[in-house]
Amino acid sequence: MTLAPFACDPAFSRGRRFAEIPAPTRTDYQRDRDRIVHSSAFRRLVYKTQVFLNHEGDLFRTRLTHSLEVAQLGRSVARTLGLNEDLVEAIALAHDLGHTPFGHAGQDALNDCMAEHGGFEHNLQSLRVVDELEERYPDFNGLNLTFETREGILKHCSASNALALEASEPGGVAQRFLPPATPDAVRLQPSLEAQLCNLADEISYNAHDIDDGVRSGLITLEQLREVELFESFRMQAMVKHPQLGDDSQGRRLLYDTIRRMLSAQVYDVIEATRNALSKATPGDADEARRAGPLLCFSANMRNQSSMLKRFLYQNLYRHPQVVQTTDQAKQVVRDLFEFFMHHPRSLQAGFSARAQALQAADTTGRARVVADYIAGMTDRFAMHQHRHLTGKVLSETQN
Ligand code: MG
């Protein structure tokens, strides 16, 4: 792999929190990737969802397939730009590890439950998973990943949480979220590899949510014609393959349109980023961090992608059928939170031990243990626990 000068090079990694002997056959980023793939949290992604719940169909994306799509897309852009593919892959595979069951609904509900205890942020939770919650190594908690992978995982962080993180790791991954020392101080970006993962995330969920949305019947190809980005490639597909308009062709028109749309976005990112890089000319990865966001869409594609996002928000994520199931999902999370706050001994062994080690009056400490436990649940485990512990049956569809 030939790295561009502005790529992250494992030889210059800022290293791990606990020093380790380098692996003989793998770079540090490859080792990070392997640790993530072997983690329990990674395996649970298969039963966690984004928009649709697991029981609604076997063909919808899960967080696992989403993460694989982000890694694939990110790697192919990284290869073209001379960025570090292994680092991109590690960040992409880890970026959703901290997500709660039931997608954004679960996260909102858990954040509400945690309102008086520091809140709940899924990016910070992904970092907690790899820093604290995985218990696999004799000498430390977590996976002890490199700074660069952890930096990419912490995509956003509130100022208050950044302060707390900074206290335990001065000058670490939270530093760039602290209020700037002077008003004109440069706001640091994460590495270009991390910036790429953010954009690959956006490109992939926009595309696969169209796919899942149409297959679920909640949005139609007809409705999508109002989205310029989709419509222009649908027309292109029809010109090239007029037979795709025929019903007998099934979803080939949808897939061909999405494929064209994906390619156009990837080429756009590559070109716009090359332009930004040739203006900024960062000489190394740290100069790239100081140069403002460089990994980007062109202005036109940024606009088109935002319009597509808006369409999906209005027509899919806020669809009454989606809202109904997400309301039930929120109820499950709230009930579980309340139950475990009152019955911390019912938490799984490791969590229960953590809760029992706390002072009885330390409700914030207990709330964090409960939040960690619930956040780690898969959709179906949360449903099962809810039924088992509360005896409530929410609806027929939730089997
Ligand atoms: Mg994602």
Side-chain angles (χ1 to χ4, degrees):
M1 183 160 53
T2 316
L3 291 178
F6 41 75
C8 283
D9 184 337
F12 301 107
S13 170
R14 278 195 230 174
R16 305 177 187 279
R17 293 194 303 159
F18 303 93
E20 290 187 67
I21 298 164
T25 56
R26 296 169 295 166
T27 70
D28 277 335
Y29 301 148
Q30 289 168 344
R31 198 180 196 186
D32 281 0
R33 187 242 356 251
D34 297 351
R35 288 182 176 191
I36 291 158
V37 168
H38 290 284
S39 69
S40 319
F42 184 72
R43 283 194 297 281
R44 286 198 294 263
L45 292 178
V46 71
Y47 294 114
K48 291 192 179 196
T49 48
Q50 306 236 101
V51 179
F52 298 92
L53 302 189
N54 255 163
H55 63 266
E56 292 178 309
D58 289 342
L59 287 177
F60 296 127
R61 262 66 173 191
T62 67
R63 294 239 174 237
L64 181 68
T65 58
H66 163 72
S67 301
L68 295 174
E69 288 180 40
V70 176
Q72 178 271 325
L73 219 148
R75 284 184 58 171
S76 87
V77 175
R79 206 174 306 137
T80 312
L81 292 174
L83 296 176
N84 195 309
E85 253 186 87
D86 298 322
L87 178 57
V88 167
E89 188 179 17
I91 298 170
L93 295 180
H95 86 283
D96 272 354
L97 289 180
H99 269 286
T100 61
F102 315 127
H104 294 291
Q107 175 195 304
D108 291 347
L110 198 51
N111 189 32
D112 288 345
C113 295
M114 291 294 288
E116 285 165 26
H117 310 291
F120 180 88
E121 296 176 34
H122 67 263
N123 288 297
L124 186 60
Q125 191 68 15
S126 297
L127 190 68
R128 274 180 73 70
V129 168
V130 301
D131 278 359
E132 299 293 337
L133 299 176
E134 283 287 322
E135 294 177 334
R136 313 184 72 79
Y137 295 89
D139 297 329
F140 45 77
N141 280 341
L143 304 177
N144 198 29
L145 304 180
T146 61
F147 173 88
E148 293 75 22
T149 301
R150 297 173 57 244
E151 172 196 36
I153 291 172
L154 194 63
K155 188 160 77 172
H156 301 293
C157 185
S158 65
S160 57
N161 283 325
L163 272 174
L165 265 181
E166 176 72 11
S168 64
E169 187 192 355
V173 288
Q175 194 183 29
R176 67 188 192 89
F177 299 103
L178 296 173
T182 55
D184 55 349
V186 178
R187 200 172 254 294
L188 283 186
Q189 300 298 314
S191 68
L192 293 169
E193 284 81 357
Q195 294 178 40
L196 171 55
C197 286
N198 292 345
L199 212 48
D201 189 21
E202 176 179 339
I203 295 173
S204 39
Y205 66 66
N206 278 342
H208 63 54
D209 287 350
I210 291 181
D211 184 359
D212 285 350
V214 171
R215 278 189 297 109
S216 67
L218 297 186
I219 54 176
T220 62
L221 277 177
E222 204 48 47
Q223 267 179 300
L224 276 160
R225 296 189 66 170
E226 70 180 70
V227 182
E228 196 182 315
L229 185 60
F230 184 86
E231 176 62 3
S232 59
F233 293 108
R234 190 195 67 84
M235 278 170 17
Q236 215 182 67
M238 285 296 293
V239 169
K240 189 99 176 92
H241 308 284
Q243 77 279 12
L244 290 184
D246 195 296
D247 278 351
S248 68
Q249 293 294 310
R251 300 201 179 97
R252 286 174 205 254
L253 177 60
L254 174 68
Y255 297 143
D256 200 55
T257 306
I258 291 176
R259 192 159 41 237
R260 287 164 188 274
M261 203 179 87
L262 274 174
S263 297
Q265 289 178 94
V266 165
Y267 297 141
D268 183 90
V269 168
I270 291 168
E271 204 195 317
T273 303
R274 277 189 173 143
N275 288 340
L277 284 166
S278 73
K279 281 191 198 120
T281 62
D284 59 32
D286 276 336
E287 275 184 37
R289 287 185 175 91
R290 288 192 294 270
L294 296 174
L295 212 303
C296 54
F297 277 136
S298 66
N300 177 41
M301 190 60 89
R302 166 50 53 220
N303 187 26
Q304 297 222 19
S305 174
S306 302
M307 290 196 297
L308 169 56
K309 270 172 133 169
R310 231 172 2 252
F311 171 88
L312 287 170
Y313 184 81
Q314 285 161 358
N315 297 283
L316 182 60
Y317 311 144
R318 302 301 303 161
H319 190 287
Q321 226 167 297
V322 172
V323 172
Q324 191 213 344
T325 54
T326 56
D327 283 349
Q328 289 173 344
K330 285 181 178 179
Q331 186 68 44
V332 169
V333 169
R334 278 195 299 267
D335 289 348
L336 286 176
F337 187 85
E338 190 166 332
F339 178 86
F340 287 118
M341 280 302 277
H342 290 105
H343 304 90
R345 283 170 193 273
S346 299
L347 291 160
Q348 210 177 53
F351 292 92
S352 174
R354 266 175 68 200
Q356 284 174 52
L358 299 166
Q359 301 281 345
D362 184 2
T363 48
T364 287
R366 187 160 73 243
R368 185 58 60 192
V369 178
V370 171
D372 284 341
Y373 183 50
I374 294 175
M377 291 182 180
T378 61
D379 296 2
R380 61 179 191 171
F381 184 72
M383 292 285 198
H384 176 265
Q385 286 288 89
H386 182 261
R387 208 163 32 226
H388 175 68
L389 297 172
T390 70
K392 289 188 197 171
V393 178
L394 288 175
S395 96
E396 283 299 302
T397 58
Q398 299 206 350
N399 290 313

